[in-house]
Amino acid sequence: MTAQNLLVELFVEELPPKALRKLGDAFGGQLLEQLRAQGLAGADAQLTAFASPRRLAAHITGVLSRAADRPQSTKLMPVAVGLTADGQPTPALLKRLAALGADASAVPQLKRAPDGKAEALFFDSVQAGSALAEGLQKALLEAIAKLPIPKVMSYQLEEGCELPGWTSVSFVRPAHGLVALHGREVVPVAALGLQAGNSTQGHRFEAAKSPVVITHADRYAETLAEDGAVIAGFDARRTEIARQLAAAAAQVGGGAQPIEDEALLDEVTALVERPNVLVCAFEEQFLGVPQECLILTMKANQKYFPLLDAAGKLTNRFLVVSNIRPDDASAVTGGNERVVRPRLADAKFFYDQDRKKTLAARVPGLDKVVYHNKLGSQGERIARVRGIAAAIAQQLGGAELAAQADQAAQLAKSDLVTDMVGEFPELQGTMGRYYALNDGLPQAVADAIEDHYKPRFAGDALPRNEVGLVVALADKLETLVGMFGIGNLPTGDKDPFALRRHALGVVRMLIERKLPIPFHVLTRLAFAAFPAGLVQDKAVELDEFLIERLKGYLRDGGYTAVEVDAAIYAQQLGLWSTIPSRLAAVRAFAALPEASALAAANKRVSNILKKAGEVDAHVSEVLLQEPAEKELYAALQRIAPAADTQFEAGDYTASLQTLAALRAPVDAFFDGVMVNAEQADLRLNRQGLLKSLHVAMNRVADLSRLA
């Protein structure tokens, strides 16, 4: 059982670039998992995955040529079924043993062991370890079957099959070669109509040798680099591209930097096997077009890296990652410059044409754009967003804010009917801002048109001004109310209308911008903006949905589920903007020595009041008889006003710490007072005392949830 390193490579036609990294990791991971399951690779085996446009490969250390034999205990059947009353094997037992390669001579060695309520017979044997060829064959087929393939291709085999030209196989792309080496030895496995060998192909144009022969599993990457002109490792190729991008930018000078885009870097890494970064240029006249348009067309359509100057402004230079390294690269740079020019000319044409018509003139065109077949056109949607925005603005800033928010809401979607956004939907909002400024609209309104989509994703910036904040809230609430109202709710991992993202955006804006408006007021304002009968009233369900997003947001901020529940279920919680301060107070309170006892007492009070039904928080001093209840009342009279003052000032931490002084009188009360006294007036008075205690203790947070 010698251990050597193993190499497996599938040589294929060009793989989907956006899925390449995932395919490479999955292929190597599945091979290692299957080999470990068969005992051919140990827990300390190391995997190195390789992925290039034309190959998936895995290098695994310490793979055995044959797995060790393993003891095996096989359950046969209940004793009552396998043996007669005098201990002789039944025909059923003998048949079962025969299926396992044993006979009646094995009966005395059978073991008895409890199995549930009955006793069963077990047959102990030694399972021979798998040979590498057998185990790798199984692992390879399993790895191929479990690849996360975006879309499968079916193609016909031309050789190595029963019916050349007719036998079909399915894989992500047609496969043309298979390498399987255990050290220096070829492992005889087959897959996708291919027999394993030790040769592969290098770079399509620049390989020094063809085929490239891999002499040892450990020399795979080195041999491909030397003889095949290929950097096989995805990470190694990515690092090399990043290095060349930085070097090329430095060569341009002037503080130029390539645009940072991790997704683009990953995609380009998946498109080339021998990266070569070249500097190209375009005419400066195109810089008059908003740089977002130029950057998007270069990145999305051509996979170029635009160069920005030290101030973050686009220059007329860009970087190309070529897959070849000719002695004279002028043909490559010239070709790329020639290709990008029509793209930039189109962007300039769209921009010039769009500016001939104002955003306000485009508003009627939104009536022809369908938003949803049950919710009408974009024009009808804009009318609802305007209504919600006006109501929110009146709550937050009065008539001036309402007027600006109404104008921004009216024009927020107008860029959807421009040529530029029609060509590049990713620029919606961004182009609206440029066109608004071109129309002479106020800066705050223009910024709001762009910002009303924010936050677009987790961690995205919030709208930069109050007008944008109002319109962003209105836009998201309109979406939430509309989709809830027609029953389009997210299910499992499916959320086609991004309702979770919209809800999280509402949560973030309320909390991070400390908006002085209760969330349930917002949802009621939003429902009121919809015409009667258009949507069902799902305000309660929407409130619950928003609260769940709020809980997730706070837990992501480092708070425990218990702390979150205590803060958001406080009796007098009105504004979500106060929640961070409440959470800090809860955490500080929980660290006090009195916290656990007061939390437990609070829970006990909650249970008593729940059973009592409606209780008035009124206490008659005349009916206070026991010393403990008199002391608790006196303590409340002394401590609660100070805690309330601190609460009203927003100092929630100090308020809870002040209330911690109630621990001793509360403990004494429960030790010495019978709350549910037989005398009705005493019972109601004591319940009223507990109600007063409960109100005072739970203004900041529901402390019973800390118990």
Side-chain angles (χ1 to χ4, degrees):
M1 294 188 294
T2 57
Q4 294 197 63
N5 297 339
L6 176 72
L7 172 78
V8 179
E9 184 211 63
L10 267 175
F11 178 72
V12 297
E13 293 182 14
E14 279 74 4
L15 292 160
K18 291 185 178 180
L20 180 62
R21 187 169 204 162
K22 186 185 295 184
L23 288 170
D25 292 343
F27 181 68
Q30 281 294 327
L31 279 176
L32 179 58
E33 181 182 327
Q34 293 296 323
L35 292 173
R36 278 177 175 163
Q38 298 177 71
L40 289 165
D44 58 346
Q46 298 295 312
L47 166 68
T48 303
F50 298 94
S52 81
R54 298 203 297 160
R55 69 199 76 240
L56 299 174
H59 179 273
I60 302 173
T61 62
V63 176
L64 298 172
S65 58
R66 175 176 290 276
D69 296 342
R70 291 186 290 184
Q72 184 177 22
S73 183
T74 306
K75 178 186 171 184
L76 300 176
M77 58 189 63
V79 173
V81 176
L83 298 176
T84 62
D86 58 355
Q88 296 301 311
T90 63
L93 178 60
L94 293 174
K95 185 176 181 180
R96 183 77 174 91
L97 286 171
L100 295 172
D103 54 23
S105 62
V107 173
Q109 282 76 46
L110 297 181
K111 289 184 178 179
R112 299 186 181 198
D115 183 50
K117 295 182 179 180
E119 191 178 31
L121 294 171
F122 291 83
F123 175 63
D124 290 342
S125 60
V126 176
Q127 182 181 20
S130 301
L132 177 58
E134 176 189 353
L136 181 58
Q137 180 67 63
K138 179 181 177 181
L140 180 58
L141 296 179
E142 192 75 13
I144 291 173
K146 291 185 176 180
L147 279 179
I149 297 174
K151 194 172 183 180
V152 173
M153 286 183 64
S154 292
Y155 58 95
Q156 286 69 47
L157 300 177
E158 297 297 333
E159 57 185 20
C161 59
E162 293 183 5
L163 298 171
W166 292 90
T167 301
S168 295
V169 294
S170 297
F171 193 52
V172 59
R173 292 291 185 271
H176 296 290
L178 175 62
V179 174
L181 288 176
H182 188 231
R184 297 182 181 278
E185 300 297 321
V186 173
V187 184
V189 294
L192 303 175
L194 302 167
Q195 297 294 323
N198 65 347
S199 63
T200 185
Q201 295 295 327
H203 193 282
R204 191 182 289 277
F205 307 111
E206 299 187 349
K209 298 179 181 178
S210 181
V212 176
V213 177
I214 312 298
T215 58
H216 194 283
D218 293 343
R219 296 199 74 251
Y220 174 70
E222 181 184 350
T223 304
L224 267 181
E226 292 175 356
D227 297 342
V230 169
I231 302 175
F234 190 96
D235 289 333
R237 208 163 54 254
R238 191 179 193 274
T239 300
E240 173 62 15
I241 292 173
R243 185 195 67 76
Q244 289 191 35
L245 288 172
Q251 179 185 345
V252 171
Q257 291 292 330
I259 194 163
E260 293 185 9
D261 190 322
E262 297 298 314
L264 177 62
L265 183 55
D266 282 343
E267 187 173 1
V268 170
T269 301
L271 287 169
V272 299
E273 291 192 313
R274 193 186 192 194
N276 181 31
V277 173
L278 303 171
V279 180
C280 301
F282 59 84
E283 290 79 357
E284 292 190 5
Q285 63 171 329
F286 293 121
L287 293 177
V289 179
Q291 68 177 40
E292 292 89 345
C293 308
L294 306 182
I295 289 171
L296 180 61
T297 191
M298 284 191 281
K299 286 183 359 180
N301 295 324
Q302 304 302 134
K303 314 306 176 190
Y304 296 158
F305 287 84
L307 280 177
L308 308 179
D309 64 18
K313 297 294 184 181
L314 181 67
T315 70
N316 69 322
R317 301 290 189 90
F318 60 94
L319 303 180
V320 175
V321 183
S322 173
N323 194 34
I324 55 176
R325 297 183 182 179
D327 294 333
D328 180 6
S330 59
V332 179
T333 56
N336 281 281
E337 290 171 352
R338 188 168 59 253
V339 167
V340 79
R341 193 172 296 116
R343 296 282 189 184
L344 303 184
D346 286 346
K348 185 176 186 303
F349 174 78
F350 293 146
Y351 183 57
D352 291 340
Q353 290 297 113
D354 287 342
R355 287 183 296 166
K356 294 178 180 179
K357 190 174 183 181
T358 66
L359 287 179
R362 296 180 184 277
V363 172
L366 294 173
D367 292 329
K368 301 176 183 179
V369 180
V370 176
Y371 168 55
H372 191 282
N373 63 345
K374 294 182 180 179
L375 296 173
S377 67
Q378 283 285 3
E380 292 170 303
R381 182 183 181 221
I382 282 299
R384 298 191 293 267
V385 172
R386 290 177 69 185
I388 299 169
I392 295 173
Q394 288 289 353
Q395 294 266 341
L396 295 178
E400 183 179 353
L401 177 60
Q404 287 191 316
D406 181 67
Q407 185 179 27
Q410 181 187 23
L411 303 177
K413 306 295 182 183
S414 294
D415 64 350
L416 295 178
V417 291
T418 62
D419 291 339
M420 185 71 82
V421 174
E423 182 71 15
F424 303 111
E426 301 93 332
L427 294 176
Q428 57 186 284
T430 300
M431 294 312 303
R433 177 178 177 275
Y434 279 107
Y435 296 144
L437 292 173
N438 182 73
D439 296 345
L441 297 179
Q443 184 74 47
V445 173
D447 290 344
I449 291 173
E450 178 179 18
D451 289 353
H452 85 280
Y453 289 104
K454 295 179 179 178
R456 290 184 173 91
F457 50 85
D460 191 19
L462 297 181
R464 72 197 85 177
N465 61 43
E466 201 169 15
V467 180
L469 205 64
V470 169
V471 181
L473 275 172
D475 183 66
K476 288 168 176 54
L477 287 167
E478 193 280 337
T479 300
L480 289 165
V481 169
M483 292 305 162
F484 267 74
I486 62 174
N488 280 346
L489 308 183
T491 55
D493 60 348
K494 295 181 179 178
D495 187 8
F497 297 98
L499 300 188
R500 294 189 182 97
R501 175 167 57 80
H502 284 303
L504 183 58
V506 172
V507 168
R508 285 189 58 200
M509 285 186 276
L510 286 175
I511 292 179
E512 295 176 24
R513 289 298 176 85
K514 302 186 184 302
L515 298 185
I517 180 170
F519 87 97
H520 61 274
V521 172
L522 283 177
T523 56
R524 300 315 180 272
L525 289 176
F527 272 100
F530 282 73
L534 183 62
V535 296
Q536 301 178 48
D537 186 353
K538 296 286 185 180
V540 174
E541 291 85 347
L542 179 54
D543 286 353
E544 293 174 352
F545 184 73
L546 286 166
I547 289 171
E548 287 304 311
R549 302 283 79 71
L550 170 66
K551 290 180 179 180
Y553 169 77
L554 296 173
R555 288 195 296 267
D556 289 344
Y559 292 100
T560 67
V562 171
E563 291 170 336
V564 169
D565 284 350
I568 68 176
Y569 290 115
Q571 279 189 343
Q572 298 187 31
L573 174 61
L575 304 177
W576 281 6
S577 56
T578 66
I579 288 180
S581 300
R582 291 173 185 266
L583 280 167
V586 167
R587 181 162 285 183
F589 174 78
L592 298 175
E594 301 90 348
S596 59
L598 280 174
N602 214 306
K603 187 171 185 178
R604 186 173 178 182
V605 170
S606 298
N607 291 334
I608 292 172
L609 294 177
K610 189 182 296 182
K611 292 178 182 178
E614 290 294 328
V615 176
D616 185 11
H618 174 73
V619 180
S620 171
E621 290 188 66
V622 177
L623 294 174
L624 297 174
Q625 296 185 353
E626 301 293 338
E629 61 182 328
K630 292 179 181 179
E631 174 55 31
L632 177 58
Y633 178 73
L636 263 178
Q637 294 297 104
R638 185 175 65 254
I639 294 171
D644 288 344
T645 301
Q646 292 162 333
F647 177 86
E648 297 300 338
D651 193 349
Y652 302 128
T653 301
S655 180
L656 284 183
Q657 289 175 341
T658 299
L659 291 168
L662 290 171
R663 177 190 174 176
V666 167
D667 288 348
F669 177 87
F670 281 117
D671 288 341
V673 179
M674 173 65 71
V675 177
N676 292 322
E678 293 184 7
Q679 191 174 331
D681 55 351
L682 289 180
R683 182 173 67 253
L684 291 174
N685 200 56
R686 288 169 183 173
Q687 289 174 349
L689 178 59
L690 291 182
K691 179 70 172 180
S692 300
L693 173 67
H694 191 261
V695 171
M697 292 290 294
N698 290 280
R699 294 193 73 186
V700 174
D702 183 356
L703 299 183
S704 67
R705 295 178 181 267
L706 300 178

